[in-house]
Coordinates of all heavy atoms in Angstrom, one line a residue:
T103 N 10.1 -2.3 10.9 CA 10.8 -2.8 12.1 C 10.6 -1.8 13.2 O 11.0 -0.7 13.1 CB 12.3 -3.0 11.7 OG1 12.4 -3.8 10.6 CG2 12.9 -3.7 12.9
L104 N 10.1 -2.3 14.3 CA 9.9 -1.5 15.5 C 11.0 -1.8 16.5 O 11.2 -2.9 17.0 CB 8.5 -1.8 16.1 CG 8.2 -0.9 17.4 CD1 7.9 0.5 16.9 CD2 6.9 -1.5 18.0
Y106 N 13.3 -0.8 20.1 CA 12.9 -0.4 21.4 C 13.0 1.1 21.6 O 12.2 1.7 22.3 CB 13.8 -1.1 22.4 CG 13.5 -2.6 22.6 CD1 14.4 -3.5 22.2 CD2 12.3 -3.0 23.1 CE1 14.1 -4.9 22.4 CE2 11.9 -4.3 23.2 CZ 12.9 -5.2 22.9 OH 12.6 -6.6 23.0
S130 N 6.1 -8.6 8.5 CA 6.5 -9.5 9.5 C 7.4 -8.9 10.5 O 7.4 -9.3 11.7 CB 7.3 -10.7 8.8 OG 8.4 -10.2 8.1
C131 N 8.1 -7.8 10.2 CA 8.9 -7.1 11.2 C 8.0 -6.4 12.3 O 8.4 -6.5 13.5 CB 9.8 -6.0 10.6 SG 11.1 -6.7 9.6
A132 N 6.9 -5.8 11.9 CA 6.0 -5.2 12.9 C 5.3 -6.3 13.7 O 5.0 -6.1 14.9 CB 5.1 -4.3 12.2
S133 N 5.0 -7.4 13.1 CA 4.2 -8.5 13.7 C 5.0 -9.3 14.7 O 4.6 -9.6 15.8 CB 3.6 -9.4 12.7 OG 2.7 -8.7 11.8
C134 N 6.3 -9.7 14.3 CA 7.0 -10.5 15.2 C 8.5 -10.2 15.3 O 9.3 -11.0 15.8 CB 6.8 -12.0 14.9 SG 7.5 -12.4 13.2
G135 N 9.0 -9.2 14.6 CA 10.4 -8.9 14.6 C 11.0 -9.2 13.2 O 12.1 -8.8 12.9
G136 N 10.4 -10.1 12.5 CA 10.8 -10.5 11.1 C 12.2 -11.1 11.2 O 12.6 -11.9 12.1
L137 N 13.0 -10.8 10.1 CA 14.3 -11.4 10.1 C 15.3 -10.7 11.0 O 16.4 -11.2 11.1 CB 14.8 -11.5 8.6 CG 14.8 -10.2 7.8 CD1 16.1 -9.7 7.5 CD2 14.0 -10.5 6.6
F138 N 14.9 -9.7 11.6 CA 15.7 -9.0 12.6 C 15.4 -9.3 14.0 O 15.8 -8.6 15.0 CB 15.6 -7.4 12.4 CG 15.9 -7.0 11.0 CD1 14.8 -6.5 10.2 CD2 17.1 -7.0 10.5 CE1 15.1 -6.1 8.9 CE2 17.4 -6.6 9.2 CZ 16.4 -6.1 8.4
Q139 N 14.6 -10.4 14.2 CA 14.1 -10.7 15.6 C 15.1 -11.1 16.6 O 14.9 -11.0 17.8 CB 13.0 -11.8 15.5 CG 13.5 -13.1 15.0 CD 12.4 -14.1 14.8 OE1 11.3 -13.9 15.4 NE2 12.6 -15.1 14.1
Y140 N 16.3 -11.5 16.1 CA 17.4 -11.9 17.1 C 18.3 -10.7 17.4 O 19.1 -10.8 18.3 CB 18.2 -13.0 16.5 CG 17.4 -14.3 16.3 CD1 17.2 -14.8 15.0 CD2 16.8 -14.9 17.4 CE1 16.5 -15.9 14.9 CE2 16.1 -16.0 17.2 CZ 15.9 -16.6 15.9 OH 15.2 -17.7 15.8
A141 N 18.0 -9.5 16.8 CA 18.8 -8.3 17.2 C 18.4 -7.8 18.6 O 17.2 -7.9 18.9 CB 18.6 -7.2 16.1
Y142 N 19.3 -7.3 19.3 CA 19.0 -6.8 20.7 C 18.1 -5.6 20.7 O 17.4 -5.3 21.7 CB 20.3 -6.5 21.4 CG 21.0 -5.3 20.9 CD1 20.8 -4.1 21.4 CD2 21.9 -5.4 19.8 CE1 21.4 -2.9 20.9 CE2 22.6 -4.3 19.3 CZ 22.3 -3.1 19.9 OH 23.0 -2.0 19.4
S143 N 18.0 -4.9 19.6 CA 17.3 -3.6 19.6 C 15.9 -3.7 19.0 O 15.2 -2.7 19.0 CB 18.1 -2.6 18.8 OG 18.3 -3.0 17.5
V144 N 15.5 -4.9 18.5 CA 14.2 -5.0 17.8 C 13.2 -5.5 18.8 O 13.3 -6.5 19.4 CB 14.4 -5.9 16.6 CG1 13.1 -6.2 15.9 CG2 15.4 -5.3 15.6
C145 N 12.0 -4.8 18.8 CA 10.9 -5.3 19.6 C 10.3 -6.5 18.9 O 10.1 -6.5 17.7 CB 9.9 -4.1 19.7 SG 8.5 -4.4 20.7
K146 N 9.8 -7.5 19.7 CA 9.3 -8.7 19.1 C 7.9 -8.7 18.7 O 7.1 -9.6 18.9 CB 9.6 -9.8 20.1 CG 11.0 -10.0 20.7 CD 12.0 -10.1 19.5 CE 13.4 -10.4 20.1 NZ 14.2 -9.3 20.0
G147 N 7.4 -7.5 18.3 CA 6.1 -7.4 17.8 C 5.4 -6.1 18.4 O 5.6 -5.8 19.6

Side-chain angles (χ1 to χ4, degrees):
T103 309
L104 183 67
Y106 288 116
S130 60
C131 290
S133 298
C134 65
L137 50 114
F138 305 110
Q139 64 184 340
Y140 296 118
Y142 69 92
S143 61
V144 174
C145 186
K146 307 305 184 255

